[in-house]
Structure formats: structure tokens, C-alpha cells
Amino acid sequence: MLSFRADHARARDAVLTKVSEEMIEETGLTSIQSRVTDQDEYLARPDLGRQISDETEARIRDECTLNPDVQILVCDGLSSTAVEKNVPNLLAMLVDGLEERGFEVGTPLFVKFGRVDVMDEIGKTLGATSVVNLIGERPGLHTAESLSAYLVYEPHPDKPTAKKSVISNIHVDGLPAVEAGAQIIDLVERMHDQRGSGIDLD
Amino acid sequence: MSITSRITGSKHTFDSVREVLAKANEEKSGDQLAGIAADSEAERIAAKDALGSLSLETLRESPVVPYEDDEVTRVIQDGVDEAAYDRLKDWTVSELREFLVDEQTREPEIARIRPGLTSEMVAAVAKLMSNMDLIQAASKMQVTARCNNTIGAEGTLSFRLQPNDPSDDVENIRHSIREGLSYGVGDAVIGINPVEDNAERTKRLLDVTKEFIETWDVPTQNCVLSHLTTQMEAVRQGGSADLLFQSLAGTEAGNEGFGIDVDLLDEAYEFGKEHCTASGPNIMYFETGQGSELSSDAHAGVDQVTLEARCYGLAKRYDPFLVNTVVGFIGPEYLYDGRQVIRAGLEDVFMGKLTGIPMGIDACYTNHIQADQNDIENLAVLLTAAGSNYFITVPMGDDTMLNYQSNSYHDASALWDIFDMGPAPEFETWLESMELMEDGRLTAHAGDPTRFLEGDR
């Protein structure tokens, strides 16, 4: 019973840690923030975690590739550990793989305090055809390293959740990053072929 | 409409039934997030007082989302038995509460009023009740359902065996099924949440569970909890499903977020009656949970307790075999801590039973809310007392795929022991034949998954 409690303690701590500046820098991500200002607000106000400020909108319009085929986001979500463990490998693979298949990939962004659906507002702002959002899942007892990829075709804030796709459980004991990368690339291709995501896909 | 109360010594005025319903709720972070909660404890109590004085007719005539705008409202309103409604429309909400907690009122009396209730009435009375009121009233209500076995009969407490795996690994899933069955759980359903939502994966997991059930002759049902359309496609491709599953919301817009509507549910229900492998008649499985509408911005200014009751009103249309709230799953922005999770769990099971659906619960929590295993063990004890039909169980209380904690396989025997209960009757007979149970108690073989190794059969 105490080993259960020990795992729970570790998971609770993972919720509170942050993605390091070094990782963001080393992976070449441009860092922005949602409208959320601190961790407590992040947990309490999912609406703010889905939005970016007017200044941030202006900034990304200025600094990022506009109208890309695919925009990639990384969000800390509820587990910074998941981002730190998986993103360095996965991101490079995704960019290379998508470009190899002829997609123009936008400027990858790191969104501090970002929720899944922040991809709608950012994708729309940048005029992206589709968005891939890599986000840390809430930690479990077994692993705090689990990452999810949420995908949307033609992002828009009114897009219902059912019209989005997800690949979850990306971690060493689930879906390893290399396999996840291949699956995400295939899914992006299907989304562009069929012009939809989520339940709009065959 | 203006509704007032002076119970706190000063005058509180509310502009609509929807506002009174929202402000009468016990404290919930989700109602605060939606900006509709009471501003103070005094206002909360005034709203309860005002709500108690409303007639059931007022609630019938003020659905929280207009009839013209929302098909969930239409399902609930059109489903009301007008003769039953006429007999109770003059009751106040307070009188309904008094009727339900009266020790003279038993299941047959409650069964007579049920067809006249709307979800707004069900939610309203829950808001006037203390935690023990909810347990007392729920405990006398009995809603049984029948698929390959019978759930909800007096003296029984059933469990879903949830053998989820982070990579949908078939052998891991089989091991988890063996372990769960050896602890005596699995009579509600052997139900898997797949990592990947596609027909091929769903069919594969349906086939694995079905084959296991047939090999060992287990009197239960299987289900793979992918999207409803995915499950139907898997069945069209030859998959064997006993139950069809779907998550429900309490508004049309919320269901759109889930990619469903009443037409699709109707179609699935007819499809299931024809193609599901179970003998039935109850073949649908639904999950719900306070806060899901707000999370998809589809709450229409309505509080999460009332929206949850509306999910049950919708579920009732399909005579389900299982309905459970997944209380505590969604996060601290809707239910902040163990106290709010426990309150919500008690409300949900009470409201489900009053609606007349066979109600169970996933008593659970995630690692970003202020709760731990003790909180949900408390909730499991309270809800066994309240007569929940079933609980969700996962190995060691930890779901390694969905990353949250629920009751464990071995919690079942503790609850049976505390309350002198047992599994569904057909399942108990089968456990006895497997020498896992004797005279209503687990034997020394319990917890030994090797009893279900294929070579031994």
C-alpha cells in the first residue's frame, strides 16, 4: 500500500514542475504563453489556457511562417516530464518526416500553460491548414512521462472535440516516440487527403 | 420570473429557475468557473429555500434549455407520462424531498411517480438534500437490468472489470482479465477503453474478450468503449459486442462535442438490438460526469448537477444495462477536491436511480486534484450504502492507460464483506464452480490469475 502512496506522491509532484528553458532552446522552439499566468490558474481556468493574448497573436504573426500546411505546437499540459522525455526526439522526426512527404511545416511553438484547444486559436491566427499539438498528459502512477498528440484539420475555435484526432499514451512503455512519429505523419497525410479530422475521417 | 427568499434575514431575489437551480448547488469549482455559482453561503441557502417552494409544474414549464433549441430537452419533455405528472405537478420540491426520505416510502411508491418527473425536478430535489438524505433515498430505490446476467438486485453489488493497457497489448489485457475474475469482479462488464479509436482495434479487443468469456463460460458481457460509430463499424466487420457504449452530455451542443445526436443514438440502439451478441433486453452502456458540458463550452449557462440529471433523462430513452458517472475524472476545475467529488458521486447515483436507470459509478480521481485513495474508498462505502448497482475496478486501483486511480479489483471483496453482499447471482454460481467463492466468500484461490491459464481448460 505504501508503494502505491509513493507513486501517487511522485505523480503529484510531476504536476507542479515546469519544462526547462534549456529543452525549449535546444529543440529550437519559439516560446509563447497562453492567457494563464500561473500554475493554480492553469488548473482552475481551462478557458484561459485555450486562448492567447492580442499581443501574442501579433507576435506570432510577425515571427512565424504564415499559412503553413502543418503547424506544430508543444504544450506543457499536466506533465512537464512527458514533454522533456519525448519531445526532443519526436519533434525533429516529425518536422523531417512531414517535409519529406511534401508538407510545409510552420514555425514550431512552445505554449506555456497551453490546453489542447489552444491549437484552434493559434492555428487560425497563423492560417494553418492543420495543427499537431503535443501535450503532456496528466501523470499516472505507472508513468508521468505520457504524451499525447492532438490533431485538427482546419482549426477553428468552434470546432467540436469529436472532429479532432488523438494519439495518446506516447511513452516508453506505451507507444514509443519513434512509432508515434510515424503514426502522426500518416494521420496528417490522411487528414489532408480527406480534408477533415476526428469523426470526419473514414 | 422573480423568485425571492428571506430565510437568511435579508432578501435574496433570483431572476429565473435556471439561476435558482445553479445557486442552490453545493459548492462546485465548475459552477464557479462557469460564473453561475452562489456568491456567498447565504445566497446558496436562500436559493435552496426559494427552490424548495417552487412547484414541480413550474420546473416542468421552465426547462433550463428551451424545448425549441435542444433535442435533449425534447427527449425529456416528450418522455413524461402525463397522467403520472398530473398527480404530482402541484407538489413543491420540498414536498418531493419529504416524500423521498419518508421511511414509509419504498421502491413501489417511487416507481409510481418516476414517469412523471423531468430531469430538472430530479436535479432540484437533489439540491435540497443533505449527503445522508441522498444515501437514504437512493438506498430504497432498486433499478435492475438484464443482459447476459442481472444487475442491481437486492443484496448484490457488481463490478466492471477494466483491463486497460497503454498499448492495447492483447496478452496484458488477458492477464488483467484473469486477475480481475480471480478476485470475483467482472459481472457488470468486461470493458476496455482502447488507446486507438478505430474499427480494426475495436474488433480485435471485442474478439479477445468474447473468446475469453466463451472459453471460460463467464456469465457476463463484453464492451469496447470506442466511439459509437466505431463500435458499429467493428460489429459490421464481424466483431462480437454484447453492449454498445457511448459518453453522453446533457445538452444537444454537448453531444455534438461527443460527435453524437439523438438520431445516431436511436440508430445505434436499433442496430444493437439486431446485432449485439447478448440476450438482453438491455444492451446499452453510457458514461457521464459533471462538468463535461462546460469543458466543451456547451453548458448554456446551466449548472453541472442539472446537466448531469439531463444526461440520465436522455439515457433512459435507451433502457440501458449500465450507466455510470465517472466522478472525479475530469479535473479540479469542475470538482476541486475529495469533498466535492464525494458530494457529486452521491448526487449522481441518487439522481440516476430516481430517473429510473440502473446506475453505477466510477469512483475515481486524477493526480491533479486534491484527493487520494482514501477519498474514493470513503465514496465507495457511502455509495454501496446508497445502493449503487456497480463500481469500476482496475488492477491495484491504478489505470495505466487513462492515467487515473479508481477502486481496485480487491476492493470488491472488502465491500461485499462490510455490507454482507455478493455479486450478481449467475456470476456467483459461476465463481463457485470455479472454486473462487464458497458460501458467499472468496476462497483461498482468490487473486490467483493462473486459474485462468488456457492450458488448464
Side-chain angles (χ1 to χ4, degrees):
Chain A
M1 195 167 73
L2 282 182
S3 60
F4 181 99
R5 294 295 292 265
D7 286 342
H8 187 225
R10 211 156 30 113
R12 297 280 301 160
D13 291 343
V15 174
L16 300 174
T17 56
K18 294 186 177 58
V19 174
S20 70
E21 296 296 328
E22 291 80 38
M23 194 225 82
I24 296 169
E25 214 165 280
E26 280 164 19
T27 47
L29 288 160
T30 301
S31 184
I32 60 169
Q33 190 164 331
S34 73
R35 280 187 192 267
V36 169
T37 51
D38 60 39
Q39 189 66 22
D40 283 342
E41 189 175 64
Y42 181 69
L43 292 179
R45 293 291 304 271
D47 51 332
L48 297 181
R50 295 180 201 125
Q51 298 164 10
I52 50 173
S53 67
D54 295 345
E55 297 83 68
T56 306
E57 268 192 35
R59 194 189 133 202
I60 59 174
R61 266 204 206 100
D62 210 37
E63 293 180 17
C64 298
T65 306
L66 295 179
N67 310 315
D69 295 327
V70 187
Q71 174 65 43
I72 300 177
L73 306 180
V74 177
C75 293
D76 38 10
L78 289 170
S79 175
S80 54
T81 323
V83 173
E84 300 246 352
K85 292 277 180 184
N86 297 293
V87 165
N89 283 334
L90 185 54
L91 183 66
M93 221 189 109
L94 275 183
V95 174
D96 292 349
L98 287 167
E99 284 177 350
E100 244 170 58
R101 305 233 187 150
F103 291 106
E104 189 195 1
V105 179
T107 315
L109 290 171
F110 174 74
V111 190
K112 193 174 181 184
F113 301 131
R115 291 265 171 178
V116 170
D117 287 345
V118 79
M119 66 185 178
D120 293 330
E121 197 158 310
I122 293 175
K124 187 166 168 258
T125 301
L126 295 175
T129 310
S130 67
V131 185
V132 177
N133 187 0
L134 306 172
I135 186 164
E137 285 175 16
R138 59 174 183 233
L141 298 191
H142 169 68
T143 178
E145 298 175 7
S146 188
L147 188 83
S148 282
Y150 286 84
L151 295 91
V152 62
Y153 188 79
E154 288 178 347
H156 191 279
D158 295 333
K159 197 114 180 172
T161 306
K163 297 202 171 193
K164 290 162 188 169
S165 298
V166 63
I167 294 174
S168 68
N169 280 271
I170 303 171
H171 59 92
V172 179
D173 297 328
L175 183 66
V178 180
E179 280 176 45
Q183 283 193 18
I184 293 168
I185 293 166
D186 284 345
L187 186 53
V188 169
E189 201 155 44
R190 276 176 62 215
M191 282 163 44
H192 281 253
D193 283 348
Q194 299 183 29
R195 296 176 181 274
S197 45
I199 56 168
D200 287 341
L201 290 175
D202 292 337
Chain B
M1 178 193 284
S2 178
I3 310 159
T4 60
S5 163
R6 293 180 183 276
I7 193 171
T8 62
S10 55
K11 185 177 173 185
H12 289 272
T13 304
F14 307 96
D15 295 331
S16 66
V17 170
R18 184 166 50 196
E19 183 187 357
V20 173
L21 282 166
K23 292 189 167 171
N25 266 356
E26 293 298 316
E27 184 179 4
K28 300 276 175 60
S29 50
D31 291 333
Q32 290 163 342
L33 175 61
I36 56 176
D39 290 329
S40 63
E41 287 306 309
E43 191 184 29
R44 188 186 325 282
I45 300 308
K48 286 179 192 283
D49 179 52
L51 179 60
S53 67
L54 295 182
S55 71
L56 299 188
E57 184 173 21
T58 303
L59 289 170
R60 172 91 194 268
E61 287 172 4
S62 321
V64 288
V65 193
Y67 185 92
E68 304 74 42
D69 299 348
D70 188 284
E71 63 177 8
V72 177
T73 303
R74 293 196 286 276
V75 164
I76 293 164
Q77 292 278 346
D78 296 349
V80 170
D81 177 320
E82 299 296 337
Y85 168 71
D86 281 341
R87 287 196 296 275
L88 44 94
K89 66 180 182 184
D90 295 332
W91 292 14
T92 63
V93 180
S94 288
E95 285 167 341
L96 177 58
R97 173 186 166 275
E98 282 156 25
F99 168 80
L100 290 170
V101 295
D102 187 332
E103 53 270 39
Q104 298 300 323
T105 304
R106 311 312 302 177
E107 169 61 29
E109 288 77 26
I110 295 171
R112 277 198 285 281
I113 68 154
R114 257 192 207 113
L117 298 174
T118 64
S119 301
E120 279 80 357
M121 300 174 201
V122 168
V125 72
K127 293 159 196 271
L128 296 194
M129 297 170 91
S130 70
N131 285 7
M132 195 153 72
D133 286 348
L134 293 169
I135 294 169
Q136 188 205 356
S139 72
K140 57 176 100 177
M141 294 188 257
Q142 202 181 61
V143 184
T144 59
R146 166 96 208 150
C147 191
N148 291 329
N149 58 19
T150 308
I151 199 169
E154 180 129 35
T156 69
L157 179 62
S158 297
F159 295 89
R160 166 176 163 191
L161 196 167
Q162 183 170 300
N164 295 344
D165 182 80
S167 56
D168 290 339
D169 181 280
V170 167
E171 202 41 42
N172 284 350
I173 287 171
R174 281 202 195 96
H175 278 315
S176 194
I177 294 173
R178 290 181 186 115
E179 187 188 9
L181 289 174
S182 76
Y183 278 111
V185 304
D187 53 345
V189 60
I190 296 175
I192 303 171
N193 301 85
V195 178
E196 267 191 63
D197 195 303
N198 60 51
E200 186 193 349
R201 181 70 59 91
T202 297
K203 179 179 180 303
R204 182 149 175 242
L205 297 178
L206 282 171
D207 291 345
V208 166
T209 45
K210 194 69 186 178
E211 187 191 307
F212 195 99
I213 287 171
E214 284 176 352
T215 301
W216 296 93
D217 211 11
V218 193
T220 187
Q221 32 282 321
N222 73 339
C223 188
V224 174
L225 288 77
S226 50
H227 193 268
L228 195 49
T229 52
T230 310
Q231 292 164 77
M232 288 197 285
E233 183 54 32
V235 171
R236 279 188 207 102
Q237 292 176 13
S240 300
D242 288 321
L243 293 169
L244 292 177
F245 167 83
Q246 181 55 47
S247 295
L248 296 183
T251 62
E252 184 175 328
N255 285 322
E256 194 191 332
F258 285 139
I260 58 164
D261 57 21
V262 170
D263 278 347
L264 177 67
L265 290 166
D266 286 354
E267 180 196 335
Y269 185 41
E270 292 308 315
F271 178 90
K273 283 195 270 191
E274 195 162 330
H275 299 289
C276 279
T277 37
S279 45
N282 308 112
I283 46 137
M284 299 300 283
Y285 176 13
F286 298 118
E287 282 189 338
T288 64
Q290 290 188 27
S292 62
E293 296 84 2
L294 179 57
S295 90
S296 61
D297 200 20
H299 61 294
V302 181
D303 71 272
Q304 60 191 37
V305 174
T306 306
L307 291 171
E308 181 71 9
R310 288 164 56 92
C311 295
Y312 307 151
L314 175 59
K316 190 179 179 181
R317 178 181 174 92
Y318 304 103
D319 296 321
F321 180 68
L322 306 169
V323 182
N324 63 263
T325 172
V326 192
V327 70
F329 183 79
I330 184 165
E333 58 270 42
Y334 309 99
L335 296 170
Y336 182 72
D337 55 11
R339 186 168 184 254
Q340 293 188 10
V341 168
I342 286 172
R343 173 72 194 181
L346 295 175
E347 288 165 344
D348 293 354
V349 169
F350 162 79
M351 294 194 300
K353 294 183 82 172
L354 184 57
T355 304
I357 53 175
M359 195 70 195
I361 186 165
D362 188 349
C364 63
Y365 64 104
T366 59
N367 288 318
H368 63 311
I369 82 168
Q370 306 295 325
D372 63 20
Q373 202 72 12
N374 283 330
D375 291 293
I376 63 154
E377 288 186 8
N378 287 350
L379 182 55
V381 170
L382 295 175
L383 280 174
T384 305
S388 176
N389 278 7
Y390 67 97
F391 290 90
I392 306 293
T393 54
V394 293
M396 300 299 288
D398 179 23
D399 188 309
T400 58
M401 194 289 268
L402 293 171
N403 282 333
Y404 76 121
Q405 287 86 249
S406 184
N407 288 116
S408 66
Y409 291 160
H410 59 268
D411 285 349
S413 64
L415 290 168
W416 288 330
D417 194 20
I418 297 167
F419 289 93
D420 194 21
M421 298 173 98
E426 305 88 339
F427 199 79
E428 180 162 351
T429 305
W430 173 80
L431 287 171
E432 285 167 354
S433 75
M434 293 300 301
E435 297 176 342
L436 287 165
M437 203 167 220
E438 194 181 324
D439 298 329
R441 296 201 200 292
L442 291 178
T443 66
H445 298 303
D448 175 10
T450 63
R451 291 194 78 73
F452 294 102
L453 287 176
E454 319 287 346
D456 298 342
R457 189 86 202 181

